[in-house]
């Protein structure tokens, strides 16, 4: 099955689906040809499969996809169901799943080793700041760092207000600008593309 049919036909729920962000992630991985790739936040595997398809088509690189799966207290999935999905599309060679907390897993990664990172763990300001505290030095110069959110609309979603979460757009300060070139693709839920300087 070709990658476009897989990404378009995936029978999963994902906020990324409406605006075809799977194709965007696929295209970025095809373009930059990263080798060591990590994803944090898998749920049913929409983004995982999209990235893994690109690695397979590149014939280069692999993805480690990290999630709490069954241990997450809100909307979650099972590691077995995502494993089955990867098998169904014959992507097991390109992607492996790890059940762990992002902030524990990131500390196991070698400094300066990452080429590509996708962060989608119900992002908010604090999670992004924490992630960068541990994760920034794990990224190589030129590393692509994608994260869910970054638009004003995404900062206004109901649960962010209800749980008093800090706005993601607060992270775009002078320090961030010194560390990354970046732009936000605005369609909801929005996706911010960063490249480590
Ligand atoms: C919005 S979903 C990910 C959606 C997915 N990327 C997609 O393409 O549809 C958020 C995921 O982050 C995971 N998550 C939240 N906090 C986490 C943490 N601290 N460590 C690991 N995973 C976490 C949840 O289990 C959930 O599956």
């Amino acid at each position: 099955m070709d990658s476009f049919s897989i990404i378009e036909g995936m029978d999963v729920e994902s906020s990324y689906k409406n605006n075809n962000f799977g194709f965007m992630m696929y295209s970025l991985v095809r373009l930059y040809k990263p080798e060591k790739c990590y994803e944090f936040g898998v749920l049913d595997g929409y983004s995982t499969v999209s990235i893994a398809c690109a690695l397979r088509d590149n014939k280069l690189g692999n993805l480690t996809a990290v999630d709490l799966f069954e241990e997450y207290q809100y909307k979650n999935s099972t590691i077995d169901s995502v494993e089955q999905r990867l098998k169904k599309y014959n992507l097991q060679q390109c992607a492996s799943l790890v059940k762990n907390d992002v902030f524990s897993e990131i500390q196991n990664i070698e400094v300066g080793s990452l080429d590509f990172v996708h962060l989608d763990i119900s992002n908010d300001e604090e999670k992004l700041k924490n992630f960068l505290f541990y994760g920034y030095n794990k990224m190589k110069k030129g590393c692509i760092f994608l994260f869910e959110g970054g638009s004003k609309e995404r900062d206004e979603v109901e649960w962010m207000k209800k749980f008093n979460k800090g706005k993601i757009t607060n992270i775009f300060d002078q320090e961030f600008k010194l560390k990354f070139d970046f732009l936000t693709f605005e369609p909801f839920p929005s996706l911010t593309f960063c490249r480590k300087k």
Side-chain angles (χ1 to χ4, degrees), residues 12-17 25 39-50 66-77 98-105 118-123 127 148 154:
V12 293
E13 266 187 47
S14 172
S15 62
Y16 280 146
K17 242 180 135 177
M25 291 177 207
E39 172 173 81
F40 301 95
V42 172
L43 192 62
D44 292 320
Y46 175 76
S47 50
T48 319
V49 166
S50 304
V66 182
D67 201 296
L68 285 167
F69 294 105
E70 296 85 343
E71 312 299 326
Y72 189 52
Q73 56 177 317
Y74 302 106
K75 188 172 162 39
N76 63 19
S77 64
V98 173
K99 190 198 275 196
N100 199 0
D101 183 86
V102 51
F103 300 105
S104 152
E105 190 65 25
H118 172 230
L119 179 73
D120 184 14
I121 52 167
S122 303
N123 296 344
K127 285 183 186 174
E148 186 264 343
R154 169 60 175 74

